[in-house]
Amino acid sequence: MIEKGLLRINDLHVNTENKEILRSLNLTVNKGEVHVIMGPNGAGKSTLMNVIMGHPNYEVTKGSIEFDAEDITEMNTDERARKGIFLSFQTPEEVPGITVEGMLKGAKFAITGKPLKFFQFRKDMKEKLDLLHFDESYAQRYLNVGFSGGEKKKSEILQMMMLDPKLAILDEIDSGLDVDAVRNVADGINHFLNEEKSLLIITHSSKLLEYIKPDFVHVLTDGRIVKTGDASVAEEIINHGFTEYKEVVNS
Amino acid sequence: MAKKKTIVEDIDRRIYDIKNEDKFNYKSEKGLTKEIILDISRKKNEPGWMTDFRLKSLETYEAMGLPTWGPNLDALDMNNIVTYVKPDTEMKGDWSEVPDEIKDTFDKLGIPKAEHEYLAGVGAQYDSEVVYHSIKEELVKQGVIYTDMETAVREYEDIIKQYFMKLVPPNDHKFVALHGAVWSGGSFVYVPEGVQVDIPLQSYFRSNSPGAGQFEHTLIIVEKGAKLHFIEGCSAPKYNVTNLHAGCVELYVKEDASLRYSTIENWSRNMMNLNTKRATVDKNGTIEWISGSFGSKVSMLYPMSILKGEGAKSEFTGISFAGKGQVLDTGTKVVHAAPYTSSTINTKSISKGGGEAIYRGSVKVTSNAHHSQSTISCESLMLDDISRSDTIPALDIMNDEVTIGHEAKIGRISDEAIFYLMTRGISEEEAKAMIVRGFAEPIAKELPLEYAVEMNNLIKLELEGSIG
Ligand SMILES: Nc1ncnc2c1ncn2[C@@H]1O[C@H](COP(=O)(O)OP(=O)(O)O)[C@@H](O)[C@H]1O
Ligand SMILES: [Mg+2]
């Protein structure tokens, strides 16, 4: 039998405000695989990630999304998360009045459906904060409020590690980070990764890919995937840009 | 999306909605007449000056018109309000002597437990009269007085005569005049010079009788250098008739004294809450108001601080939550009447389901109050498109050497924040509740712990019906 794929996107068409952003997009991510998506600004990368998570602003006009052998195209966002999808946002929201720890406890409880073991939770969190070189006090701060760009990204990775999804989607996790922060974030991702976990990463730079080796690299332009290959595709784009692919689309 | 279709009114307000049978020892006729007032006064066995005071207040009431501003008060028909309901018991100093049904109600409201765990004294009023009062022995030894107003009128007549409705005179507005005529119950606290009452006292006002009014009077005097934290709680079960609450609170904070007055008001949605609270603060004294307004159909509540001594301070921290059918018109007034006085006003309001949350406040600085400062911050959060929120601040500054800061923010609950939390596995309902709790958090942490927990529960109850 052919591997069914953890995430399967079939002929996906997506509209927002009556404008088609994604058209006929296909993508399969199997268990244990690391996929990278590259593409010029405005290509629809973040849209794709948001649609996988079920953002209410985007309308799927055609096609389907399956996760873990279940059609999730119409599923509520929170349910998708509880099934094991995690999205690290390109620009994480600031939510006043809710601490990072408080939110994580609520989320953990929602996902596992079991009462939290507080001592264990604290211990886990401390371990992860240390690994990310993230000061413990950040767990007690309001969710992303007043965090620098880099701190927001570390906060996303902390959340990913604590919630332990099957598929983590990381939208430009490395954008705007200094070299040390990229390494911290990469350490977090590698700590999380194993043959059971899958990753879908959007990136523009090679730095993160020095630490995390992709199995597949996809090029997304104008709302569809125009090329899929191995790590060499990323290298080529970083060196030569997207011009070649734009021509492919226009021809 | 799967939507939960609970209607807010159908939500079980749990403990608040316990309705006891309308048992009473005595209940006055509906409406307001001289005879009713004489009757109340006779039942209370009051001195003649108080009877006269009541009758004079009634005249004032009859001569005055309704307020010409603020929420619509049409739901209130004074001819249908029962002004005095004497519960079927005398005041007790021991819970075991309080009739079971009444005691059960206070049990469920957590009062005896709180008394046991973190209070230095408790007063519990049921309809028009106080049914239980207690104070820790060591406070009595230090000369602290904490008792119901009726006892105070009899036993501390001189003090009461000197202070009663002097800060809030009956001609202040129509409902204060009404209060002067029919007041009943409430608490009297006297803290002698230099005495620090570190553990709070709490009075709880429970209204059980349908169509009745509650008019408790709270009078607190904190003498020079003394300190007190007083907590006031109120609730009632919901009836289909209109109830009225027109209490009056007078606080005297003397030189170097400090008073924290915390209120959680959770009247049912048939209550007209037209309450008047005022504090006067002497040199270097401090009044802190903590005010949570959740219940009632209509509230008009603007605790006022008169900073009359040099260096006097007032801090007002308030939160209100207006749900469907509620108009909560609340705020605070400050009068800076001396140099170097300061005030801080920090309010948050939440509205949903068509509820209206209005901040109405005023800061006045008199011409002699140089070097005074005031910081005002009002934030409101609307949970949907049909709710309303408004900020009506008035400033009246008669001196140039003052510093005034004012900030007002009106916002809607952020869809992106809800989505963010939902991507973490949290349900839409819980995400909203978390955001609202987060909004309220800076205020909630000022509330006594039990009330903060209760407030969070109320927010959750409110939001369970808010989706769909
Ligand atoms: N909510 C939205 N409303 C309107 N246009 C949108 C919205 N989200 C995305 N778009 C548009 O869709 C296109 C793709 O955006 P996006 O997915 O953010 O691109 P990328 O992440 O690849 O840079 C852009 O033209 C963008 O302006
Ligand atoms: Mg993007």
Side-chain angles (χ1 to χ4, degrees):
Chain A
M1 204 182 118
I2 307 162
E3 167 97 60
K4 249 205 135 234
L6 180 65
L7 176 74
R8 270 179 87 96
I9 298 174
N10 313 304
D11 189 26
L12 190 71
H13 292 249
V14 171
N15 274 17
T16 186
E17 298 182 352
N18 294 322
K19 189 172 121 194
E20 187 162 68
I21 313 274
L22 301 180
R23 58 202 90 192
S24 195
L25 190 140
N26 293 287
L27 177 70
T28 299
V29 177
N30 293 312
K31 209 196 262 181
E33 290 176 353
V34 175
H35 290 241
V36 167
I37 294 185
M38 302 185 91
N41 293 329
K45 303 180 299 296
S46 293
T47 300
L48 174 61
M49 306 306 150
N50 276 311
V51 170
I52 297 173
M53 245 15 258
H55 194 296
N57 284 2
Y58 302 93
E59 187 198 352
V60 174
T61 52
K62 194 174 168 215
S64 67
I65 306 171
E66 288 165 43
F67 183 75
D68 227 359
E70 190 177 350
D71 189 326
I72 62 164
T73 320
E74 297 295 320
M75 197 180 264
N76 284 350
T77 298
D78 53 323
E79 244 178 289
R80 300 181 197 215
R82 291 196 294 270
K83 272 183 72 70
I85 313 179
F86 177 90
L87 172 60
S88 162
F89 287 77
Q90 186 173 348
T91 8
E93 274 295 304
E94 299 196 5
V95 194
I98 305 171
T99 63
V100 173
E101 179 175 345
M103 186 280 287
L104 279 174
K105 281 177 174 166
K108 195 84 193 163
F109 175 68
I111 290 170
T112 61
K114 280 184 241 148
L116 271 186
K117 297 197 171 78
F118 286 106
F119 184 73
Q120 188 61 41
F121 178 88
R122 273 271 165 99
K123 200 172 143 247
D124 283 356
M125 196 170 65
K126 165 104 174 67
E127 223 174 80
K128 276 140 201 168
L129 283 160
D130 287 349
L131 188 110
L132 293 169
H133 290 262
F134 207 17
D135 192 88
E136 259 181 272
S137 63
Y138 281 85
Q140 305 313 322
R141 284 181 51 176
Y142 292 149
L143 199 44
N144 303 328
V145 178
F147 285 22
S148 71
E151 289 163 351
K152 283 182 180 162
K153 297 301 171 72
K154 282 190 184 179
S155 157
E156 296 289 277
I157 295 299
L158 172 74
Q159 294 172 41
M160 174 193 76
M161 295 170 84
M162 290 301 291
L163 301 180
D164 199 30
K166 293 177 182 156
L167 169 67
I169 303 171
L170 310 176
D171 192 352
E172 300 202 21
I173 189 71
D174 52 344
S175 294
L177 298 194
D178 64 37
V179 267
D180 290 337
V182 172
R183 201 180 45 240
N184 296 152
V185 159
D187 285 348
I189 298 169
N190 278 322
H191 186 86
F192 159 78
L193 267 186
N194 60 40
E195 64 278 9
E196 295 291 309
K197 306 288 186 188
S198 307
L199 269 188
L200 188 53
I201 300 176
I202 296 172
T203 184
H204 288 299
S205 86
S206 58
K207 197 77 207 153
L208 188 69
L209 302 182
E210 285 173 21
Y211 303 102
I212 296 155
K213 292 294 160 216
D215 299 304
F216 298 94
V217 176
H218 310 275
V219 182
L220 197 162
T221 60
D222 278 326
R224 57 153 62 112
I225 286 172
V226 294
K227 177 169 182 155
T228 295
D230 61 15
S232 65
V233 175
E235 225 166 286
E236 202 182 298
I237 288 171
I238 287 155
N239 294 330
H240 304 292
F242 293 105
T243 347
E244 177 194 338
Y245 303 101
K246 281 194 174 143
E247 279 157 13
V248 171
V249 171
N250 292 338
S251 61
Chain B
M1 287 194 176
K3 302 208 168 170
K4 197 164 170 176
K5 289 242 184 336
T6 322
I7 298 161
V8 174
E9 278 89 340
D10 291 347
I11 282 178
D12 171 21
R13 290 174 81 241
R14 301 168 309 158
I15 49 175
Y16 305 113
D17 261 334
I18 308 159
K19 281 181 194 147
N20 291 340
E21 193 189 324
D22 188 22
K23 274 192 215 154
F24 46 86
N25 170 286
Y26 170 83
K27 190 172 182 171
S28 66
E29 297 294 314
K30 285 179 182 175
L32 200 53
T33 61
K34 193 173 165 184
E35 286 63 44
I36 289 174
I37 285 165
L38 285 172
D39 227 21
I40 295 173
S41 191
R42 213 174 305 123
K43 287 260 173 336
K44 289 181 182 292
N45 203 7
E46 290 173 340
W49 65 268
M50 186 55 92
T51 314
D52 293 344
F53 185 92
R54 289 181 185 276
L55 292 174
K56 198 140 182 301
S57 298
L58 177 65
E59 279 171 28
T60 310
Y61 169 79
E62 281 165 348
M64 284 182 104
L66 287 167
T68 52
W69 49 273
N72 184 321
L73 301 177
D74 288 352
L76 182 65
D77 174 8
M78 275 315 296
N79 296 324
N80 266 318
I81 297 283
V82 175
T83 53
Y84 182 66
V85 184
K86 185 179 186 327
D88 201 9
T89 176
E90 300 300 319
M91 190 177 85
K92 306 292 181 194
D94 187 335
W95 282 111
S96 66
E97 291 171 24
V98 175
D100 285 348
E101 197 179 44
I102 297 179
K103 181 183 177 293
D104 281 355
T105 303
F106 285 109
D107 263 341
K108 288 183 179 125
L109 292 165
I111 309 302
K113 184 168 175 283
E115 173 182 11
H116 181 67
E117 288 171 3
Y118 71 100
L119 296 171
V122 160
Q125 177 159 340
Y126 193 80
D127 288 326
S128 296
E129 296 283 357
V130 177
V131 295
Y132 173 84
H133 233 289
S134 77
I135 176 169
K136 284 217 154 68
E137 193 52 39
E138 59 255 41
L139 290 181
V140 177
K141 280 189 194 136
Q142 293 177 80
V144 176
I145 302 167
Y146 179 38
T147 184
D148 63 304
M149 273 307 292
E150 280 72 8
T151 304
V153 169
R154 286 193 304 268
E155 292 181 13
Y156 308 100
E157 193 176 344
D158 291 349
I159 307 181
I160 303 302
K161 224 173 169 170
Q162 189 188 339
Y163 290 98
F164 183 83
M165 293 198 82
K166 290 295 187 328
L167 188 52
V168 183
N171 63 4
D172 207 79
H173 62 79
K174 193 171 179 73
F175 296 100
V176 172
L178 173 66
H179 177 92
V182 299
W183 76 269
S184 183
S187 292
F188 170 61
V189 187
Y190 181 84
V191 187
E193 187 171 333
V195 174
Q196 315 284 303
V197 184
D198 291 320
I199 309 173
L201 303 176
Q202 170 173 316
S203 287
Y204 200 97
F205 302 99
R206 175 76 181 173
S207 177
N208 180 67
S209 190
Q214 196 165 45
F215 306 96
E216 83 288 349
H217 195 94
T218 299
L219 174 58
I220 298 179
I221 300 163
V222 187
E223 291 287 4
K224 191 173 172 182
K227 183 182 158 195
L228 174 70
H229 181 189
F230 186 86
I231 304 171
E232 173 194 70
C234 9
S235 71
K238 184 170 165 75
Y239 293 108
N240 290 326
V241 290
T242 302
N243 279 42
L244 168 64
H245 176 238
C248 179
V249 173
E250 296 181 286
L251 311 175
Y252 295 85
V253 182
K254 303 292 179 74
E255 195 174 326
D256 288 323
S258 77
L259 170 59
R260 174 177 258 230
Y261 194 93
S262 304
T263 306
I264 289 286
E265 174 274 299
N266 194 21
W267 297 115
S268 52
R269 304 272 171 94
N270 57 314
M271 182 65 92
M272 304 294 279
N273 182 34
L274 310 172
N275 212 13
T276 307
K277 300 179 176 185
R278 198 164 297 171
T280 170
V281 189
D282 291 347
K283 192 175 171 188
N284 293 328
T286 303
I287 175 77
E288 278 177 88
W289 301 95
I290 314 291
S291 183
S293 298
F294 298 98
S296 83
K297 177 184 178 66
V298 171
S299 273
M300 291 176 78
L301 175 63
Y302 325 97
M304 178 177 184
S305 308
I306 302 170
L307 305 177
K308 123 186 140 161
E310 225 176 275
K313 254 206 275 200
S314 109
E315 277 175 38
F316 181 89
T317 307
I319 184 153
S320 61
F321 193 133
K324 184 175 177 190
Q326 290 184 283
V327 181
L328 303 185
D329 197 291
T330 63
T332 186
K333 297 186 210 171
V334 183
V335 180
H336 291 260
Y340 301 100
T341 50
S342 65
S343 63
T344 310
I345 298 167
N346 189 0
T347 70
K348 298 218 176 197
S349 75
I350 301 159
S351 53
K352 71 163 271 272
E356 291 181 37
I358 294 134
Y359 170 81
R360 191 189 298 271
S362 82
V363 172
K364 185 179 168 137
V365 180
T366 61
S367 56
N368 65 322
H370 57 86
H371 295 96
S372 289
Q373 59 181 62
S374 179
T375 313
I376 308 159
S377 154
C378 308
E379 258 189 274
S380 24
L381 183 66
M382 285 178 283
L383 301 190
D384 50 44
D385 294 337
I386 53 171
S387 300
R388 268 198 54 201
S389 186
D390 210 347
T391 303
I392 309 170
L395 294 175
D396 179 8
I397 316 295
M398 316 276 279
N399 189 301
D400 288 334
E401 285 176 277
V402 296
T403 316
I404 310 281
H406 183 251
E407 193 188 354
K409 264 195 267 178
I410 296 184
R412 284 179 199 287
I413 192 161
S414 151
D415 290 336
E416 287 306 318
I418 295 169
F419 178 67
Y420 185 83
L421 295 176
M422 288 177 75
T423 65
R424 274 41 178 161
I426 296 163
S427 71
E428 182 173 357
E429 181 186 294
E430 179 57 21
K432 283 187 177 174
M434 279 173 103
I435 291 166
V436 175
R437 278 200 299 266
F439 174 77
E441 210 259 355
I443 307 256
K445 70 180 186 215
E446 295 300 320
L447 299 173
L449 182 66
E450 278 68 12
Y451 282 108
V453 170
E454 201 48 47
M455 186 176 98
N456 282 341
N457 287 339
L458 283 170
I459 288 174
K460 191 159 170 54
L461 277 178
E462 280 290 338
L463 291 175
E464 273 169 11
S466 74
I467 303 169

